[in-house]
Amino acid sequence: MTHGKEVKIALVGILGLFILFVGMNFLKGLNTFSKGDVYYVSFDDVTGLASSSPIYADGYPVGTVRSIEYDYTHENKTRVEIDIDTKMRIPKGSSAIIDSDLLGNVRLNLLLANNPRERVNPGETIPGSMATGLMAKAATLIPALEQMLPKLDSILISVNTLLANPAIAQSLENIQVTTNNLTHTTQEATKLMSSLNRQVPGMVDKANGVLDNAQTLTGNLAKVDVDATMAKVNATLANVQALTDKINSNQGSLGLLMRDASLYNHLNSTVSNADSLLIDLKSHPKRYVHFSLFGKKDK
């Protein structure tokens, strides 16, 4: 009975150790019972990579890192043993990179080549390298930032000196006064616009009255018989033309007077004689008129 108990205790201990081993590998991401294909990746630098680190292909998990073998002689590169799912076919020409996210999680990414005819066989070695991701780029920016810090410090000192200048405060005060004036002007403009809005109805009524008068005038003009008026104007012009023709001809008194020079000269002479007669009559009236109560005397 004693030996039976000891055997049971030993079996329980062995089972416990086995469960502990499997659990530790599971926590590390290693599947103890997996039968994946083993490949190797050579690196110059494996910073951040560790056993049980996940392996991704196109963002999908396809395996884990089994172990890392460092070459202490520095004759060869560091070799990483990886376990890849048996369904995964790695085209020839593919490579692997060590990548990390912002939280510091490190993983191995397989960069699959476009080669459907040839493949990397299990047990062969794949070239690897470090990814120049965001963190690597940030590391390269640190020296540039260190060079910029003195310049930034100098700029901040200049800004502080500028802000401490009393002229800046005076300028700000002037800007505030200008803003207040603009506010007052805006209020006055608002009042003016309100007044104009009140006056606009009256102006509109006057404009409507003017339009009504213009419409009435247009209506009156439309009622005028333009054809009859133009006929009368044409008749008047015809009469004037006939009168002008008669004057220009030798017919009629006006025509003869204007066209006959001898008639003009006779009339001119007659008028001159009549004028002389009137002058003599005024000067010697007794020569032409004789009145006597006792009879005419002989001269």
Side-chain angles (χ1 to χ4, degrees):
M1 295 294 295
T2 304
H3 294 286
K5 291 182 179 179
E6 293 178 353
V7 171
K8 291 180 181 180
I9 294 173
L11 292 175
V12 170
I14 294 171
L15 180 61
L17 292 175
F18 178 76
I19 293 174
L20 179 62
F21 174 75
V22 173
M24 292 290 291
N25 288 334
F26 178 78
L27 292 176
K28 291 180 179 181
L30 300 175
N31 189 354
T32 306
F33 303 101
S34 67
K35 296 181 180 179
D37 294 330
V38 176
Y39 295 86
Y40 298 95
V41 184
S42 59
F43 289 98
D44 291 326
D45 187 355
V46 291
T47 301
L49 192 65
S51 298
S52 73
S53 294
I55 301 173
Y56 290 86
D58 298 329
Y60 184 80
V62 294
T64 56
V65 175
R66 280 190 171 274
S67 63
I68 300 175
E69 298 177 5
Y70 181 71
D71 184 15
Y72 291 95
T73 63
H74 303 291
E75 295 179 357
N76 299 312
K77 295 183 178 181
T78 301
R79 191 174 72 164
V80 177
E81 182 181 354
I82 59 176
D83 184 13
I84 302 296
D85 192 347
T86 55
K87 298 179 181 180
M88 182 69 188
R89 291 175 59 88
I90 303 176
K92 200 141 192 150
S94 301
S95 61
I97 59 173
I98 299 174
D99 193 9
S100 61
D101 56 18
L102 293 176
L103 298 179
N105 298 319
V106 179
R107 64 183 183 180
L108 188 64
N109 287 330
L110 291 178
L111 304 180
L112 303 178
N114 186 13
N115 187 359
R117 295 184 179 180
E118 298 179 309
R119 59 169 291 186
V120 179
N121 296 318
E124 294 184 348
T125 302
I126 302 172
S129 61
M130 292 289 295
T132 56
L134 181 62
M135 299 303 295
K137 293 180 180 179
T140 58
L141 290 175
I142 291 177
L145 291 175
E146 290 179 351
Q147 294 179 359
M148 290 177 61
L149 287 177
K151 297 181 180 179
L152 292 175
D153 190 18
S154 176
I155 292 173
L156 290 176
I157 293 174
S158 300
V159 171
N160 291 330
T161 303
L162 180 63
L163 293 176
N165 192 343
I168 298 296
Q170 184 65 32
S171 299
L172 294 175
E173 184 177 358
N174 293 334
I175 291 173
Q176 185 176 2
V177 173
T178 303
T179 303
N180 294 333
N181 292 335
L182 289 175
T183 303
H184 180 70
T185 303
T186 303
Q187 294 174 353
E188 294 296 330
T190 303
K191 294 179 181 178
L192 178 61
M193 293 301 296
S194 300
S195 177
L196 288 175
N197 289 332
R198 290 193 297 269
Q199 295 177 4
V200 163
M203 295 172 63
V204 171
D205 293 337
K206 293 181 180 179
N208 290 333
V210 173
L211 291 176
D212 292 337
N213 294 333
Q215 187 174 3
T216 302
L217 177 61
T218 304
N220 294 332
L221 291 175
K223 293 178 182 179
V224 174
D225 190 354
V226 178
D227 294 335
T229 303
M230 293 302 297
K232 292 179 181 180
V233 171
N234 290 332
T236 303
L237 292 175
N239 293 331
V240 172
Q241 183 65 36
L243 178 61
T244 303
D245 293 339
K246 288 182 179 181
I247 291 174
N248 291 330
S249 66
N250 293 329
Q251 299 177 359
S253 300
L254 288 176
L256 292 173
L257 182 62
M258 294 181 65
R259 308 283 294 184
D260 193 351
S262 61
L263 179 59
Y264 171 78
N265 292 330
H266 288 304
L267 288 175
N268 193 17
S269 176
T270 302
V271 171
S272 298
N273 292 331
D275 185 51
S276 299
L277 180 60
L278 288 175
I279 293 172
D280 185 65
L281 180 61
K282 288 180 181 181
S283 301
H284 306 91
K286 291 181 179 182
R287 292 181 180 179
Y288 304 96
V289 180
H290 300 278
F291 291 98
S292 175
L293 295 176
F294 302 100
K296 183 179 178 180
K297 291 184 179 179
D298 296 330
K299 292 184 180 182

